[in-house]
Amino acid sequence: MLALLCCSLLLAARISATWNVPSPVEISSELAAQIRDVHAKVLEIWRVFTQQEADGGRGAALHAACQVQPSAGLDGAQPRVTGRVLFRQPAPGARLDAFFDLEGFPAELNSSKRAIHVHQFGDLSRGCESTGPHYNPRAVAHPDHPGDFGNFVVRDGRLSKFRAGLAASLSGAHSIVGRAVVVHAGEDDLGRGGNPASLENGNAGPRLACCVVGTIGPEAWASRWAQERNQRRKRRRESHCQAP
Ligand SMILES: [Cu+2]
Ligand SMILES: [Zn+2]
């Protein structure tokens, strides 16, 4: 990483020494945008490098957790969902992995699907209602928001799911840290509902439970990952035993 950074800086120095640098009035908006882009990339490389140094060279993985609680003022007829969402991002800018572990859904509604999204604000002052709309930093339609995690199948009142390659980030200008994860009563129509709400929120229904994403150390993820690995081994052994 240090070598890459040094090469970038040397290259930039060579370019500035050999080029006729235009005066500020000659810089087009396109060139200014390119300069800003390069500047942002160099800053990000530097940030990753210094973070790795501070981390003792153990890598730049970022971790976060969200302790899901029932929405304040929830209708008594609605289920009280609790649990935890864990996030790991191998490095700033990389895709996100997550474990969703929730319980409290009605057991009789087996195989029902529930939508989970990141909403704009980490404000739970009026329960999940004050978390605002879907977090949408690029002003695109649902389900292309970075925190549109889609639908999760409930079995026996619980859902437990590992998802890899999510578009949300724990770093940078579009970080979801400090924002809310919201669990809905219904299924996400993934923008195919044929009405305006479908392109804003997937018509996923009432907000059952939510939490605010906060950074944590690596221990909780390591422990949950070890549990997942053991479960997968067990399932493999069982499937081998059942094979004719
Ligand atoms: Cu939502
Ligand atoms: Zn969305």
Side-chain angles (χ1 to χ4, degrees):
M1 185 57 74
L2 184 58
L4 178 64
L5 183 65
C6 289
C7 287
S8 306
L9 294 174
L10 282 172
L11 191 60
R14 265 184 86 90
I15 289 170
S16 61
T18 52
W19 279 6
N20 270 337
V21 179
S23 69
V25 289
E26 293 171 316
I27 295 177
S28 68
S29 59
E30 188 185 353
L31 182 56
Q34 286 173 353
I35 290 170
R36 277 198 299 273
D37 191 39
V38 169
H39 182 236
K41 282 176 179 157
V42 170
L43 280 181
E44 183 64 11
I45 289 170
W46 181 250
R47 205 181 66 74
V48 171
F49 171 70
T50 51
Q51 188 169 343
Q52 282 177 336
E53 288 283 290
D55 200 24
R58 280 176 285 139
L62 305 166
H63 300 84
C66 204
Q67 298 294 336
V68 177
Q69 295 293 325
S71 183
L74 192 66
D75 178 345
Q78 295 282 14
R80 297 183 65 78
V81 173
T82 57
R84 183 179 67 173
V85 183
L86 281 177
F87 297 105
R88 181 181 186 272
Q89 191 170 24
R95 289 268 169 166
L96 196 67
D97 297 336
F99 282 107
F100 298 84
D101 294 295
L102 302 174
E103 59 185 16
F105 296 100
E108 68 274 16
L109 296 178
N110 242 4
S111 298
S112 64
K113 291 179 182 170
R114 312 291 175 141
I116 302 179
H117 313 121
V118 175
H119 285 232
Q120 187 171 359
F121 305 119
D123 174 6
L124 307 186
S125 58
R126 287 182 291 111
C128 307
E129 300 309 311
S130 42
T131 61
H134 287 198
Y135 178 46
N136 187 11
R138 297 185 196 278
V140 295
H142 182 81
D144 293 325
H145 306 138
D148 288 343
F149 298 141
N151 289 309
F152 293 77
V153 177
V154 172
R155 286 198 179 84
D156 301 327
R158 310 168 66 96
L159 72 83
S160 184
K161 187 78 185 167
F162 171 73
R163 289 263 173 97
L166 300 171
S169 180
L170 300 178
S171 65
H174 297 165
S175 170
I176 62 166
V177 172
R179 304 188 187 280
V181 170
V182 177
V183 182
H184 288 269
E187 183 174 345
D188 190 328
D189 68 20
L190 304 175
R192 301 187 201 113
N195 58 14
S198 178
L199 297 173
E200 291 172 13
N201 54 43
N203 292 310
R207 304 174 181 193
L208 291 184
C210 53
C211 53
V212 178
V213 180
T215 54
I216 57 168
E219 295 81 9
W221 180 273
S223 161
R224 182 63 184 85
W225 184 248
Q227 183 191 347
E228 177 76 7
R229 208 170 43 223
N230 289 339
Q231 284 171 344
R232 288 182 188 187
R233 278 186 193 141
K234 190 176 166 202
R235 282 198 296 269
R236 266 203 306 275
R237 273 200 303 272
E238 286 171 354
S239 68
H240 285 157
C241 290
Q242 287 165 5

